[in-house]
Amino acid sequence: TADTLALAENKCTKERFTGFEMVKPSTTTDNANNDALTALLAGEADAMWVYADQAKNYQCAEGATDSWCTLWSGWGTTFAYIQTGLFGHAKAGTTLALSKKGSGLAKILDPCIDKFLETKAYYDACEKHKFTDSCFPNEHFPGGDAATTPVWEKATDELTSTCADGYCPCPQV
């Protein structure tokens, strides 16, 4: 969400993002990602804050007529990700529990979560809900712990891709 950008580290400069202004898209539909990309492509914004797998998820098969197909087809040509792997604000980007600061709930839950992440039940849950590519691999995943990390989860300073691939690496200085 927009409020987490200030907590994220720029993987190229190793500093937090500052000096930005969140802009609401002038077009609003029932799809906020489409609205944000429309604003970006129209020059209403310089960047958009969105999950790094969204452009991949919006790619359409040949002949598809979904409303977003044309909009997102410019990935790697008219737009690309400039920061990826920004997970410093939350473990896996997901809040599992909310509690009062200092309550000690994290000390109770974290070991349980860490233990569950190593089980076959965790792998089975990832498979069942078709999130296997986004899950943390363990020995039960094909390829075991060495399963390949998707490019959208790698930190920008670890990328070997190019902007034409849709994921820009850090600029060479």
Side-chain angles (χ1 to χ4, degrees):
T1 58
D3 59 337
T4 59
L5 180 58
L7 302 174
E9 176 190 74
N10 179 318
K11 297 299 182 180
C12 299
T13 65
K14 305 298 184 206
E15 296 176 5
R16 284 192 174 176
F17 292 100
T18 60
F20 58 87
E21 174 187 354
M22 289 291 177
V23 177
K24 290 188 183 254
S26 60
T27 302
T28 54
T29 66
D30 62 347
N31 188 314
N33 289 338
N34 287 353
D35 299 344
L37 183 56
T38 298
L40 176 72
L41 296 175
E44 296 172 18
D46 297 320
M48 60 188 269
W49 181 240
V50 65
Y51 291 121
D53 64 347
Q54 291 304 288
K56 175 194 72 73
N57 294 338
Y58 281 102
Q59 296 307 295
C60 297
E62 189 71 35
T65 59
D66 296 298
S67 61
W68 60 79
C69 292
T70 301
L71 180 65
W72 290 85
S73 67
W75 182 39
T77 55
T78 58
F79 68 94
Y81 287 92
I82 57 170
Q83 287 287 316
T84 55
L86 305 178
F87 295 114
H89 61 283
K91 185 169 185 169
T94 303
T95 302
L96 297 175
L98 297 175
S99 66
K100 189 173 183 178
K101 188 174 182 175
S103 71
L105 186 60
K107 289 180 183 176
I108 295 168
L109 291 180
D110 286 352
C112 295
I113 293 167
D114 290 340
K115 187 174 180 180
F116 179 68
L117 291 177
E118 297 303 319
T119 66
K120 183 168 185 321
Y122 170 70
Y123 168 72
D124 291 342
C126 293
E127 279 288 297
K128 177 180 178 181
H129 298 288
K130 298 180 177 27
F131 286 121
T132 310
D133 287 345
S134 299
C135 289
F136 295 104
N138 64 33
E139 66 182 35
H140 303 286
F141 283 66
D145 291 329
T148 305
T149 301
V151 65
W152 57 86
E153 289 188 6
K154 292 181 180 177
T156 308
D157 58 348
E158 297 173 2
L159 294 177
T160 57
S161 56
T162 69
C163 294
D165 298 317
Y167 296 97
C168 300
C170 292
Q172 299 296 321
V173 285

